[in-house]
Amino acid sequence: MTKNSEASLANAGRRGFLKTTTGVALAAVGTSLLPATAHASSDNHIKPFHGHGSEHGFWNKVRNEFILNKRTTYMNIGTSGTMPKRVLKDYNRTNEQISINPWNSNVPTIDYAKQIAPSFGADEHELVLSRNTTDGLCTIINGLQFEYGDVILTTNHEHPGVTTPLKHVAQRYGAEVIELALPVYTPNNEVSADDFVQVFNDAVNLYGNRVRFMVFSHVTFTTGTTLPAKRICQEVAIPNGIVTMVDGAHTPGMFNLDFHDIDCDFYSGAGHKWQCGPGATGFLYVRDNANRLFEFWSDRETPLWFINSSSTATAVQARLQSIGQDNYPAKRALADCCALWDQIGRDAIEERILDLSALCKKELAKKFPDAMIFAPNIRELSSGLTSFNPFDDLNDGELLTEFRDRLHEEYGYIVRTTSFYLDPYDTVKTYSLRISTHLFHDNDDVKGLVKAMKQLHREMR
């Protein structure tokens, strides 16, 4: 663990997680927006959290903050996270108070966006609280004023949250969507950050000034590879006047993000996955009121249409945040989760996740020396997602699905499967198991999972 991580860990233990009922720096915003009866019922229901002195004791304390079923080991955070119990308690209480006083249920949530923004290296006016990653992606992609012949660069490892709206704008405007083939790590095929930057750089050199937009995943949902988003934006896109949008479905709550440092134009992420907020919550970052978009697309009369807004305001944040009736309890709970992560230390959380991910890869390589591991073993390209396939036939999706289901039913470990084209010329997809390691896991969880998979693999061979 780095010195910064150790400092964050120590500070977290001293000052506690939540100092008020609605999260650090959020009490004044949260409780003032509720009906008067809600104030009294919510006071002092969340006790201050104090971590133990040792690292092991501290993370055990964190682990106890979650009410996951103890009969299973949940390792599918890449699909959905789980709310901490103190946040869940306040979330339920807030819903109850709104049910008592429903006429006060349409509470503005923009203040929460402003409170959360610094946690992700953004200015207060640059963050919008959306419904999920796809909501943010669709809002921007469908709102951009493309023209016939424009080239949009994306990759062959994107989620339908990217590919579907891109198909729409291709059909509507006659834009050309190019799916770049990303190299996939395997034990016999090392990859580097330079390789990914080169893929985008080569495409820009090929298509020239027709390339107007890039959209790609920060962490691929297929293999768990972390792309060098900062380098792609700063070394390839910006010098060529190309607008960028990053699909960050898996990064908020996993990484210590700094949107200004990445320097993308738009970033859309999930609140319900690694950030462990309620369902239908997410983040949409819009850099500097989209001013660089208007600079790079100065040839377009209206580069961005606010197609998903019910506001007549002029401010970009207000227009994007205003979509009619909002889910105030969910946004408030998301803000509480973000405050909790800030108290623990986002750099410490990132280190914890990557350490567990590295252990997972190490154990898999030891127990399955001939298996295909698709998640890179390089720290800068790693994430909390580890993907691999223990079987010889990588294209047998039914076999791997049976393995996944039996792993849950017989051993109590919950993971998921993904699929992708291992080689861009493949006509049949490769299947993999995808394992999520998060802040509430420990070394025993990882080792127990790999041991169970090894035993099940022997039974199914």
Side-chain angles (χ1 to χ4, degrees), residues 258-269:
D258 187 331
F259 293 147
H260 285 171
D261 184 58
I262 296 171
D263 208 9
C264 56
D265 294 290
F266 306 98
Y267 195 110
S268 186

Side-chain angles (χ1 to χ4, degrees), residues 186-225:
T186 66
N188 298 319
N189 182 44
E190 294 284 346
V191 296
S192 69
D194 290 341
D195 295 331
F196 294 106
V197 174
Q198 193 63 47
V199 167
F200 284 87
N201 194 57
D202 288 346
V204 171
N205 288 335
L206 178 62
Y207 295 99
N209 58 13
R210 289 179 58 204
V211 180
R212 306 303 297 267
F213 187 59
M214 288 182 184
V215 55
F216 57 90
S217 293
H218 198 165
V219 172
T220 62
F221 83 103
T222 50
T223 65
T225 303

Side-chain angles (χ1 to χ4, degrees), residues 208-428:
N209 58 13
R210 289 179 58 204
V211 180
R212 306 303 297 267
F213 187 59
M214 288 182 184
V215 55
F216 57 90
S217 293
H218 198 165
V219 172
T220 62
F221 83 103
T222 50
T223 65
T225 303
T226 298
L227 300 189
K230 176 180 177 179
R231 291 188 58 191
I232 293 171
C233 292
Q234 297 185 9
E235 296 178 23
V236 182
I238 296 173
N240 290 285
I242 301 168
V243 176
T244 52
M245 183 163 199
V246 179
D247 177 346
H250 296 282
T251 50
M254 176 197 288
F255 290 158
N256 185 20
L257 293 171
D258 187 331
F259 293 147
H260 285 171
D261 184 58
I262 296 171
D263 208 9
C264 56
D265 294 290
F266 306 98
Y267 195 110
S268 186
H272 70 283
K273 294 179 185 288
W274 301 83
Q275 188 55 72
C276 292
T281 57
F283 310 93
L284 174 61
Y285 166 74
V286 179
R287 179 192 179 278
D288 190 26
N289 293 317
N291 282 332
R292 192 163 60 194
L293 165 68
F294 288 84
E295 175 190 344
F296 286 174
W297 287 23
S298 59
D299 56 325
R300 313 285 158 95
E301 184 176 354
T302 308
L304 179 64
W305 295 88
F306 295 91
I307 63 167
N308 191 25
S309 174
S310 59
S311 174
T312 58
T314 56
V316 171
Q317 182 188 46
R319 295 181 75 174
L320 290 172
Q321 187 69 58
S322 300
I323 52 171
Q325 179 75 14
D326 206 346
N327 190 340
Y328 163 68
K331 300 294 173 60
R332 171 173 163 162
L334 179 61
D336 285 347
C337 286
C338 288
L340 179 59
W341 258 237
D342 291 343
Q343 283 288 314
I344 298 172
R346 291 183 181 272
D347 52 352
I349 291 172
E350 178 177 330
E351 288 289 325
R352 175 73 171 179
I353 290 171
L354 292 180
D355 284 347
L356 290 171
S357 179
L359 176 63
C360 186
K361 295 176 179 65
K362 179 181 177 181
E363 290 295 309
L364 288 173
K366 183 168 61 176
K367 297 289 187 181
F368 298 92
D370 299 322
M372 292 290 271
I373 301 175
F374 305 109
N377 60 357
I378 304 170
R379 190 79 168 190
E380 68 174 321
L381 300 180
S382 185
S383 74
L385 297 172
T386 299
S387 55
F388 97 113
N389 191 325
F391 297 102
D392 294 333
D393 188 351
L394 302 177
N395 308 123
D396 193 339
E398 292 185 3
L399 178 64
L400 204 61
T401 299
E402 179 188 352
F403 185 89
R404 177 202 66 193
D405 293 344
R406 287 185 60 181
L407 190 64
H408 177 194
E409 295 162 3
E410 301 174 22
Y411 295 88
Y413 291 94
I414 302 173
V415 299
R416 69 159 285 181
T417 54
T418 63
S419 62
F420 53 92
Y421 291 108
L422 183 58
D423 185 278
Y425 299 104
D426 285 348
T427 57
V428 180

Side-chain angles (χ1 to χ4, degrees), residues 26-288:
L26 295 176
V29 178
T31 56
S32 64
L33 296 177
L34 281 175
T37 54
H39 293 203
S41 64
S42 63
D43 282 347
N44 301 320
H45 75 278
I46 296 180
K47 297 179 181 179
F49 182 99
H50 298 283
H52 298 295
S54 70
E55 180 181 345
H56 178 73
F58 177 84
W59 290 113
N60 277 342
K61 189 76 171 179
V62 170
R63 184 186 185 96
N64 290 333
E65 284 296 304
F66 297 87
I67 59 171
L68 287 160
N69 186 348
K70 297 187 184 304
R71 295 182 178 180
T72 60
T73 302
Y74 182 69
M75 306 183 85
N76 187 21
I77 300 90
T79 295
S80 182
T82 174
M83 275 191 283
K85 57 188 177 185
R86 65 182 63 198
V87 176
L88 179 61
K89 182 178 180 180
D90 186 53
Y91 176 62
N92 291 335
R93 192 185 297 270
T94 307
N95 274 301
E96 180 182 353
Q97 292 302 324
I98 284 179
S99 294
I100 294 171
N101 298 288
W103 56 89
N104 285 324
S105 63
N106 193 20
V107 182
T109 57
I110 195 168
D111 286 331
Y112 285 129
K114 293 178 179 179
Q115 290 285 342
I116 293 171
S119 299
F120 297 105
D123 293 336
E124 288 186 355
H125 67 278
E126 294 179 314
L127 196 70
V128 175
L129 298 185
S130 60
R131 290 178 294 177
N132 48 51
T133 310
T134 299
D135 181 37
L137 290 165
C138 288
T139 295
I140 299 302
I141 293 173
N142 285 311
L144 293 173
Q145 183 62 57
F146 291 101
E147 292 183 358
Y148 181 84
D150 287 346
V151 168
I152 302 168
L153 298 182
T154 187
T155 83
N156 62 341
H157 282 256
E158 301 304 323
H159 188 272
V162 167
T163 59
T164 300
L166 288 184
K167 288 178 182 177
H168 294 163
V169 297
Q171 294 170 354
R172 186 188 315 157
Y173 297 108
E176 185 178 357
V177 178
I178 306 297
E179 291 190 356
L180 306 179
L182 295 180
V184 177
Y185 169 85
T186 66
N188 298 319
N189 182 44
E190 294 284 346
V191 296
S192 69
D194 290 341
D195 295 331
F196 294 106
V197 174
Q198 193 63 47
V199 167
F200 284 87
N201 194 57
D202 288 346
V204 171
N205 288 335
L206 178 62
Y207 295 99
N209 58 13
R210 289 179 58 204
V211 180
R212 306 303 297 267
F213 187 59
M214 288 182 184
V215 55
F216 57 90
S217 293
H218 198 165
V219 172
T220 62
F221 83 103
T222 50
T223 65
T225 303
T226 298
L227 300 189
K230 176 180 177 179
R231 291 188 58 191
I232 293 171
C233 292
Q234 297 185 9
E235 296 178 23
V236 182
I238 296 173
N240 290 285
I242 301 168
V243 176
T244 52
M245 183 163 199
V246 179
D247 177 346
H250 296 282
T251 50
M254 176 197 288
F255 290 158
N256 185 20
L257 293 171
D258 187 331
F259 293 147
H260 285 171
D261 184 58
I262 296 171
D263 208 9
C264 56
D265 294 290
F266 306 98
Y267 195 110
S268 186
H272 70 283
K273 294 179 185 288
W274 301 83
Q275 188 55 72
C276 292
T281 57
F283 310 93
L284 174 61
Y285 166 74
V286 179
R287 179 192 179 278
D288 190 26

